[in-house]
Amino acid sequence: MESPRLASTTSRLVMQGIAKTFGSTNALRDVDLEVLPGEVHAIVGENGAGKSTLMQILSGAIKPDRGQMFLDGKNYAPRHPRQAREVGIGMIYQELSIVPDLTVEENIMLGNEPMCGPVIRKSLLRQRALKALAHFQHPDLQPNHLAGSLSLAVKQLVEIARALASGCRLLIFDEPTSSLGKEEISQLFRVIRGLKAQGVSILYISHHLEEIHAISDRITILRDGASVATLTTSQSNDDQIIGHMVGRAIDDLYPQKKSNRQSKILCAESIRTHHHAGCTSFELHRGEVLGIAGLIGSGRTELLRCLFGLAKPHSGNITLDGKVIDPCHRIGWQHGIGYLSENRKEEGLALDLPISENLTLSHLHAYSRCGVLSPRSQAKGTQHWIKQLKIKCASHNQTTRNLSGGNQQKIAFARLLDHGVEIFLLDEPTRGIDISAKASMYEIIRTLVDDAEKPRAVLMVSSYLPELFALCDRIAVMHDGQLSSTVEIASTDAHEVMRIATGSQPDFLAHTRA
Amino acid sequence: MNLRASLKMLGPLVALLVVYFGFGISEPAMFNRTVIINILSQSVIVGIAAVGMTLIIISGGIDLSVGSIIAWTGVIAAFLIDQSLSPILVFLTAILCGGLCGFLNGSLSIWLRLMPFIVTLGTMQIYRGSAKIFTGGTPINLPFDETRYQLWMGGTGFPYGIFLLLVICIFTSWILHYTRFGRHAIAIGSSPATARLCGIPVLRTQIFVYVIGGAMAGLAAMMNVAKSSQGDPTTALGLELDIIAAVVLGGARLTGGQGSVIGAVIGALLMTCIRTGCVMHGIPTPWTEVITGIIIIIAVVVDRLRQRHTLC
């Protein structure tokens, strides 16, 4: 196929010297960006590097203080988001804006309905929606179905179709894969390649370097509000990209592992959840990180919730230090089990409450006498962890909402530490946080298990295989509620894990012990 | 809490002072001792109920039946007074009766998994109807020589009810900020999922919040009986909206997690102040209602703007 870059000489989008200041902070200092027609251009950078501000400027939500933008050679200065949409810039946000009670076609044409006076022209609406849907053949995408009943991945397609229906030339994806499974990601990538072949330009924002390697043509790296480099994807490697992102080489993203495995602490025997047919057995020891890999929806989160007591298992036994725990009557905290939710914003933290409150919420009894709290000791306890984990905040009274994702996650994690739990159930502990925050999470996790005096036990669910391999002592794979047997991390590889996770090789045990 | 909470209270307080002195400058009679006492004592009923309502709203709930609880409990209290029961027992019965109504509200919405809005919309009718059935539709009139109760809301001196409101307000504010129960209630209203994750006894706390709300309504009912010397099943009709308005004026968020007890009492004072000021200026009642409505909306908008400002 002919390279689309040769087909046209003008760039789709040019941004020159874009700068934006909020109050006293320089959100963007100097950004240059060029996107060609039919190009997938990735934008990477740590949280706070200015990616979201840049996208807001592109979509017309805010105006830059300095700099110029050109769309297909014409000066582009949108005054509001509608104008950006009219000239052909579409955004697919992380939080999808799908109206669940409208049909797929109504969602696609929302705000753009063909009218005849006050009446919607249904047949024309159907026709245009079908045209937009023709970009991706998908069996679940029927124009007259209710959008609310669709899976997240299909909803995302509806959102893409909406952008296409309004004649989009430049499509911006903001972390589009954050809640998609492996299969859905490759489906999305097929769609993106199809759009690219039709000359639509794509701006692709992501934290995941593998994805960027898989889909993008070029990469622009933002650091501290400036574009520091634009690389051709095929000629760059991860070290280079990360080096540009953090401004220094990260050679030790992952901490050293000690082997410190000790006595058995938690034992799950044929746990079955209500949503899956398979069942799960494993043993967790003090002084180890046990990783659980698997696809999204394979029942990993349900398993953790059952272990912790937020959900009831359908059947099975949980033994803690040799004692069976009554599944009807427990919430993990009482047994020294802590749970870090994968859903930080809705479950992990009460974002409107101050830091100290969030950090101590599970164990206010430790900071109170006869039900009366001592705010002073609460503050003292919080400050200890703010210092220990290097949480960036104004004070322990600050509202949690205003912090960055990484700092929020540290607070959610500090709750477990301050509670003094022995068993850490971590569900996607590094989702949506930047690389430096990830590095410090890894370090904390390893310190917990490698502690010589009081080794803790960590059970960690992650969809990011490199971190599982770097951090875990042993690993097991979940497929449709069925957990494979646990193996030493050194005796398996990513390929093997993916095979089990996708269900193509159910017998892990026979293979690895042979 | 201290600085933030007191800053939050400052808004309603400023609004109250502006309205009070605004009326006072053009009508100096507003500064008379009797007028001040009048404003305070007229705020007692809404104020006490608003303290309980603040707890409910902070924990993410709502109680539309509070006006009916006041009527139903008032009728029972008047009946007991008529039977010459000792005042302590009457007070205790009123608190208990209100608390039971609150318990019913809370437990119904939890067991039936219904929104408290729906449940209390229903119990609003149930309690009101019960009051009418109990009295046969006519008020229970108390003899005028029942001076023991009149001291609470009227009489010659400083009505006891004002002290009661003050004590309840401070005590509840303390509960909210310095007890585990109070912090749990706020956490539940702020993020129910987080509260569950943290092992907070969510259901127990929620029910207890409604019980307290009901008990406060019971006390408000006692003040109402003391004020009117009767147990009227049609009293406090629509009062729940005044009470909710006071809570919102005090800086509460209807979706839970935010609110101030002291603010709610100031909100109650603000509304009485507007009404009294309008009466003293000879403004007709329909206009008073319009003005009250406008001030409620302005106050909430200003509060929101102020919060957005402090975020940046």
Side-chain angles (χ1 to χ4, degrees):
Chain A
M1 195 176 69
E2 193 188 19
S3 164
R5 249 186 258 175
L6 301 173
S8 167
T9 46
T10 32
S11 315
R12 176 61 38 89
L13 174 78
V14 176
M15 297 177 101
Q16 282 173 349
I18 300 288
K20 177 73 189 175
T21 309
F22 294 112
S24 58
T25 50
N26 279 326
L28 290 179
R29 289 183 296 128
D30 181 18
V31 174
D32 297 322
L33 179 68
E34 186 203 23
V35 185
L36 301 171
E39 178 189 36
V40 178
H41 197 113
I43 298 208
V44 295
E46 288 194 272
N47 287 350
K51 287 173 299 188
S52 51
T53 311
L54 190 68
M55 294 311 121
Q56 281 175 305
I57 286 175
L58 253 181
S59 66
I62 54 177
K63 262 185 270 182
D65 296 337
R66 273 192 288 115
Q68 283 182 302
M69 293 189 279
F70 299 94
L71 191 68
D72 281 327
K74 274 191 232 121
N75 199 6
Y76 169 63
R79 280 192 301 275
H80 44 74
R82 206 181 57 228
Q83 207 180 357
R85 225 171 40 219
E86 279 162 10
V87 299
I89 292 187
M91 293 252 349
I92 310 297
Y93 289 101
Q94 236 167 317
E95 278 91 25
L96 298 175
S97 52
I98 293 290
V99 185
D101 294 318
L102 293 183
T103 62
V104 167
E105 57 185 357
E106 284 166 332
N107 263 295
I108 291 174
M109 300 306 293
L110 196 63
N112 200 11
E113 297 90 348
M115 305 294 280
C116 174
V119 183
I120 295 180
R121 298 176 62 187
K122 284 274 182 190
S123 57
L124 194 57
L125 180 125
R126 164 74 52 97
Q127 200 182 327
R128 289 192 188 163
L130 279 174
K131 200 176 142 207
L133 286 176
H135 289 278
F136 16 86
Q137 264 82 40
H138 194 285
D140 293 352
L141 261 179
Q142 296 303 323
N144 54 353
H145 282 184
L146 276 185
S149 61
L150 303 173
S151 77
L152 211 65
V154 180
K155 278 183 191 156
Q156 195 177 44
L157 292 182
V158 175
E159 187 126 337
I160 297 172
R162 183 193 289 162
L164 294 176
S166 63
C168 160
R169 290 181 278 175
L170 175 67
L171 197 53
I172 303 165
F173 286 93
D174 187 5
E175 295 281 353
T177 58
S178 56
S179 26
L180 299 187
K182 203 94 189 168
E183 182 50 40
E184 295 161 333
I185 292 178
S186 51
Q187 173 193 318
L188 175 71
F189 282 4
R190 277 198 299 277
V191 170
I192 290 180
R193 289 196 190 98
L195 295 176
K196 176 182 152 159
Q198 291 164 38
V200 177
S201 302
I202 314 275
L203 262 180
Y204 191 93
I205 304 169
S206 178
H207 276 117
H208 296 280
L209 295 183
E210 301 93 335
E211 287 175 17
I212 285 168
H213 278 296
I215 193 73
S216 72
D217 300 311
R218 288 195 300 162
I219 308 168
T220 292
I221 297 133
L222 295 187
R223 185 175 76 232
D224 301 331
S227 47
V228 289
T230 296
L231 309 172
T232 304
T233 310
S234 53
Q235 292 160 19
S236 63
N237 60 33
D238 281 4
D239 288 346
Q240 240 177 324
I241 298 171
I242 293 176
H244 281 300
M245 278 165 72
V246 295
R248 63 195 147 88
I250 280 210
D251 36 16
D252 45 8
L253 177 60
Y254 298 108
Q256 290 291 315
K257 276 194 261 187
K258 272 190 249 169
S259 95
N260 192 28
R261 189 178 318 153
Q262 300 184 4
S263 58
K264 187 164 76 183
I265 181 163
L266 180 79
C267 183
E269 287 166 78
S270 22
I271 302 279
R272 243 183 79 193
T273 63
H274 284 277
H275 304 283
H276 295 277
C279 69
T280 291
S281 303
F282 67 89
E283 288 173 357
L284 180 68
H285 296 252
R286 285 190 181 84
E288 74 164 347
V289 180
L290 173 58
I292 298 188
L295 303 181
I296 288 177
S298 61
R300 299 172 302 172
T301 296
E302 286 89 338
L303 171 66
L304 290 198
R305 296 182 84 85
C306 281
L307 292 174
F308 182 65
L310 277 172
K312 270 184 209 162
H314 180 263
S315 58
N317 271 334
I318 296 163
T319 320
L320 192 68
D321 263 337
K323 278 186 294 248
V324 176
I325 334 178
D326 178 9
C328 299
H329 235 100
R330 75 202 153 78
I331 182 96
W333 301 111
Q334 295 157 18
H335 301 289
I337 304 176
Y339 173 57
L340 185 74
S341 172
E342 61 168 344
N343 189 348
R344 181 172 62 237
K345 288 188 174 140
E346 270 148 40
E347 186 177 49
L349 294 169
L351 290 179
D352 286 324
L353 294 186
I355 293 171
S356 59
E357 204 71 27
N358 265 304
L359 208 148
T360 55
L361 199 52
S362 69
H363 49 289
L364 286 178
H365 53 85
Y367 293 101
S368 52
R369 195 175 292 164
C370 307
V372 180
L373 277 175
S374 155
R376 194 173 301 164
S377 65
Q378 210 181 354
K380 219 171 127 192
T382 310
Q383 271 150 1
H384 170 76
W385 292 112
I386 289 178
K387 222 167 119 190
Q388 196 86 11
L389 304 185
K390 301 190 184 75
I391 297 170
K392 277 183 211 148
C393 59
S395 86
H396 63 273
N397 264 333
Q398 197 184 348
T399 307
T400 318
R401 187 182 293 281
N402 303 341
L403 301 177
S404 75
N407 284 315
Q408 287 180 353
Q409 190 71 335
K410 283 182 188 173
I411 292 164
F413 196 82
R415 182 191 295 143
L416 277 62
L417 296 169
D418 198 44
H419 199 112
V421 297
E422 298 239 315
I423 300 173
F424 290 73
L425 308 177
L426 311 179
D427 201 352
E428 302 282 5
T430 62
R431 172 182 287 179
I433 67 178
D434 64 41
I435 288 198
S436 352
K438 272 185 188 172
S440 45
M441 286 298 281
Y442 296 148
E443 200 185 313
I444 302 164
I445 293 172
R446 269 326 299 191
T447 338
L448 285 173
V449 296
D450 291 338
D451 192 305
E453 280 165 28
K454 202 185 166 203
R456 261 60 63 92
V458 174
L459 185 65
M460 173 168 158
V461 162
S462 172
S463 299
Y464 187 57
L465 281 183
E467 84 180 5
L468 281 181
F469 274 91
L471 222 55
C472 297
D473 299 287
R474 296 188 302 153
I475 192 167
V477 189
M478 187 76 109
H479 171 68
D480 197 20
Q482 176 97 37
L483 194 71
S484 74
S485 58
T486 313
V487 295
E488 293 295 329
I489 201 85
S491 66
T492 184
D493 58 27
H495 189 74
E496 185 69 32
V497 167
M498 278 327 292
R499 270 224 316 240
I500 302 167
T502 51
S504 57
Q505 164 60 281
D507 196 18
F508 199 174
L509 184 75
H511 186 84
T512 46
R513 283 202 183 156
Chain B
M1 147 251 169
N2 292 327
L3 187 72
R4 260 162 39 104
S6 36
L7 267 177
K8 228 179 135 35
M9 252 154 48
L10 216 57
L13 192 62
V14 168
L16 175 65
L17 293 178
V18 166
V19 168
Y20 178 67
F21 283 103
F23 280 124
I25 286 165
S26 55
E27 178 57 67
M30 283 289 280
F31 301 127
N32 282 353
R33 186 171 178 271
T34 42
V35 176
I36 294 175
I37 290 182
N38 198 15
I39 291 177
L40 290 173
S41 67
Q42 299 228 342
S43 308
V44 166
I45 296 169
V46 169
I48 291 178
V51 168
M53 184 70 86
T54 307
L55 270 182
I56 294 176
I57 286 180
I58 279 186
S59 73
I62 189 91
D63 184 0
L64 296 180
S65 69
V66 59
S68 298
I69 296 180
I70 290 175
W72 163 234
T73 309
V75 162
I76 289 180
F79 173 76
L80 292 177
I81 293 170
D82 206 32
Q83 303 289 312
S84 315
L85 200 69
S86 79
I88 295 178
L89 286 180
V90 174
F91 264 92
L92 284 179
T93 315
I95 293 172
L96 191 74
C97 176
L100 275 176
C101 291
F103 179 76
L104 196 64
N105 284 340
S107 45
L108 272 182
S109 61
I110 284 161
W111 285 328
L112 301 180
R113 295 181 188 211
L114 282 174
M115 280 166 64
F117 188 95
I118 309 284
V119 168
T120 56
L121 196 65
T123 53
M124 176 169 86
Q125 304 281 347
I126 295 172
Y127 300 149
R128 177 74 61 183
S130 307
K132 287 178 184 164
I133 294 166
F134 187 77
T135 63
T138 49
I140 301 174
N141 288 308
L142 298 176
F144 277 106
D145 57 347
E146 266 303 344
T147 45
R148 277 178 300 185
Y149 292 97
Q150 268 179 2
L151 286 176
W152 284 91
M153 286 298 287
T156 44
F158 207 69
Y160 298 165
I162 298 172
F163 290 114
L164 180 67
L165 173 61
L166 193 71
V167 168
I168 283 180
C169 171
I170 293 172
F171 182 63
T172 315
S173 184
W174 177 80
I175 285 184
L176 204 52
H177 289 290
Y178 290 98
T179 68
R180 208 158 69 199
F181 161 72
R183 304 316 291 173
H184 283 175
I186 294 179
I188 291 169
S190 186
S191 171
T194 311
R196 217 167 295 126
L197 173 100
C198 287
I200 290 174
V202 175
L203 305 186
R204 200 171 63 197
T205 308
Q206 275 175 331
I207 290 186
F208 197 45
V209 160
Y210 278 97
V211 169
I212 292 182
M216 297 282 182
L219 267 180
M222 278 309 297
M223 297 301 110
N224 198 25
V225 170
K227 184 181 162 195
S228 58
S229 290
Q230 62 175 10
D232 181 0
T234 60
T235 190
L237 205 62
L239 198 70
E240 55 276 351
L241 297 183
D242 272 13
I243 293 163
I244 294 171
V247 175
V248 170
L249 276 175
R253 192 169 59 184
L254 278 182
T255 48
Q258 268 178 23
S260 151
V261 171
I262 298 171
V265 172
I266 294 175
L269 283 169
L270 178 60
M271 290 204 297
T272 320
C273 195
I274 296 166
R275 278 175 200 158
T276 312
C278 286
V279 168
M280 296 189 71
H281 280 76
I283 298 169
T285 320
W287 280 106
T288 309
E289 290 167 0
V290 172
I291 293 171
T292 311
I294 291 173
I295 290 185
I296 288 176
I297 292 175
I298 291 177
V300 173
V301 170
V302 167
D303 187 56
R304 200 175 53 193
L305 288 177
R306 216 162 39 92
Q307 285 196 17
R308 192 178 301 166
H309 192 72
T310 49
L311 266 182
C312 296

